Amino acid sequence: MKPLIVLITDWTYKEGAIMSMKGVMKTIDPTLDITDGTHEIPQYDIWSASYRLHQSMRFWPKGTVFITVVDPGVGTARKGVVALTKDGYVVICPDNGTLTHIAKDQGIAEIRQLHPHLRLPSTTGTSIFHGRDIFGYVGAKYASGQLTFDELGVVFDPLEVTVLSDLTYGMDQDKIFGHLEIDDPNFGNVWSNIPVQLLYDAGFTLSDDIQVTILHNDEVVLQRELPFRASFGSVPVGQPVAYVNELMVLAFALCQGSFAKTFKISYGKDWKVEIRR
Amino acid sequence: MKPLIVLITDWTYKEGAIMSMKGVMKTIDPTLDITDGTHEIPQYDIWSASYRLHQSMRFWPKGTVFITVVDPGVGTARKGVVALTKDGYVVICPDNGTLTHIAKDQGIAEIRQLHPHLRLPSTTGTSIFHGRDIFGYVGAKYASGQLTFDELGVVFDPLEVTVLSDLTYGMDQDKIFGHLEIDDPNFGNVWSNIPVQLLYDAGFTLSDDIQVTILHNDEVVLQRELPFRASFGSVPVGQPVAYVNELMVLAFALCQGSFAKTFKISYGKDWKVEIRR
Amino acid sequence: MKPLIVLITDWTYKEGAIMSMKGVMKTIDPTLDITDGTHEIPQYDIWSASYRLHQSMRFWPKGTVFITVVDPGVGTARKGVVALTKDGYVVICPDNGTLTHIAKDQGIAEIRQLHPHLRLPSTTGTSIFHGRDIFGYVGAKYASGQLTFDELGVVFDPLEVTVLSDLTYGMDQDKIFGHLEIDDPNFGNVWSNIPVQLLYDAGFTLSDDIQVTILHNDEVVLQRELPFRASFGSVPVGQPVAYVNELMVLAFALCQGSFAKTFKISYGKDWKVEIRR
């Protein structure tokens, strides 16, 4: 069976871009099974693209091909690449930080810079739609079996892949610390990078209350005792809660509301979180 | 041929949730045919989820599996269930009112509470993503033929299924009455629960004008003579109209505008509508 | 292999319309491969529907069936049609201007008015959902091989197809001129109808600066020297640029911003653009 294909972009469905890209792929092989991962990555937000890949890739069959195009530098010097992860997935994307989480957590077994001649022949002369002309084209050529992984490009050292700055977490004598790493833009939850196992190791259990401090550029934005629970549904509607998210990291929610909006909280390297007893 | 699968959620495509859920399903069986019914049910709006199921299920092939996850109570005591409708469809969902319309209109032939051991093994420890870990997992196991309907759970009385409050309609000496049951959040139309057959039975025809009264908590919000027509396109742009909607119930629109926004009208048990000659 | 099917509408996924339409099609033939082209055409915007078809159709395999339903006149006298383009695609749509670009650029080889008896039998009595009851139904009957192209309707003269007003472009002694033809509602770029070949023919190259004048109803809205480049990524973030878009026409962007919003610019026959040295 041919590998499945998953698409991740920041294009939305507001115009014809995805329709064009899928047409190119279906022309190469009409039997390809193409799934929309998401086309609503926040505009130009390479960090979110990297996170969503990390969040969802593991649940797909080994061998699945992820084409991830959040690409504000399209048509400039940044490389186009194809990566094979250590756990057996293929990612085709611009080398602009999209592989940050994958490189660190899943690990890259092999990475190749795409050959410049591999592109949709009818579109020479335009430089701003590599999703259609290069990444989609190459992904379909590979998933259909018309090109092997080795034929896609020139191998280079996985240590040279572009990665965005790392977010640390850990424990010291008086606290567990980490960052707010990403949000859920739909429900308004915020996810840290702290594995809940750290809390369990420190003796916290799921009926405890915990002291939460959230800092933006080292200024306290929220300092509060929160219930630590299995679900946002474990507290009354409108109440904040610390809970175990779907990737087993510590997260924050407001039951049937938006934690991010209510407390004006975002995510990234400027956003730190500390947990105390 | 394997049953088709249709997904209905309030998750949107703004993050990786749908991508993760589909990955779980495609890992169980990569040949499954999964259609997005909609992922834009208003947040936590179980009533809308119930209505959309009722609105669209009938048009699918018998045997189609609907996985419906609008689930603010995930991780709490509410049951996970699988229902077989009297007209031959399968619905997998939380037992939180999602089956309200189906139970009343299509009828439930058999319902089972999902066995607790049926869940994605790698995700024990998290309680907030039953769409991925339970409903998607179970739906794929069933649609792929790896589990039979009977193997999914313990049967219970369909009369015990959770249903939201009923909306009545009818006719008395001076009027036809009912509720505004749902909206079309895209075009701003509002749909009542009054079958147009009631109007035909009372002698109204599609070129009549009708007296429409809309009440919110028994206060009149709109009282107006409206043309009763086959289509919103039958009146000039910007004009209100009563028309026969896609399910043959009486509905209200503004030609190429929003009836709901223009007249500040919503739907539900607090919203009544009366039709007079 | 059966033809692929692509859907284009202005319905969004906010309610059950697409789910119902796909159900009708999958009931006729569950093996049909149906792709969402887009369901986010601006409401009632037939011009945009026509443009998106033009933009993306060419990238699909010959024979692909496009069902395009932006249809404010549903249930009124406008015809339902099926067109075969000169380059071998099939389009099923209301005859309301949806075929404007296709008729001019790709050319219509044959067009037929859909037979009135071809509709989903269970839905007589409702007139407002031809996407489900007629266009989707007919498209599935044709793509599944149950009906031939000739069986779908009565042939008529392609010159009688409804087209919206044409946008001209050209060159005179002192300038290249044309219209702003469409936008990219996601990234805020604006696309003209001027082939960049006209600029190349006039001696412009991709490192030049060009004098751009944009007029709305013949009043100047923007007059400015802009870099003419291969990509919006070729200028610093926040800077405006004239670039070669995906269809090789001249377009305007703000690097990682919205040209349309920043300069309050839209598109259509009232919006002209002029290029000078």
Side-chain angles (χ1 to χ4, degrees), chain A residues 33 38 56 59-60 186 231, chain B residues 13 19-20 23 26-27 43 74:
Chain A
D33 184 337
T38 173
S56 301
F59 295 103
W60 283 80
N186 183 39
S231 170
Chain B
Y13 263 108
M19 179 164 34
S20 298
K26 287 287 200 176
T27 299
Q43 287 181 355
V74 62

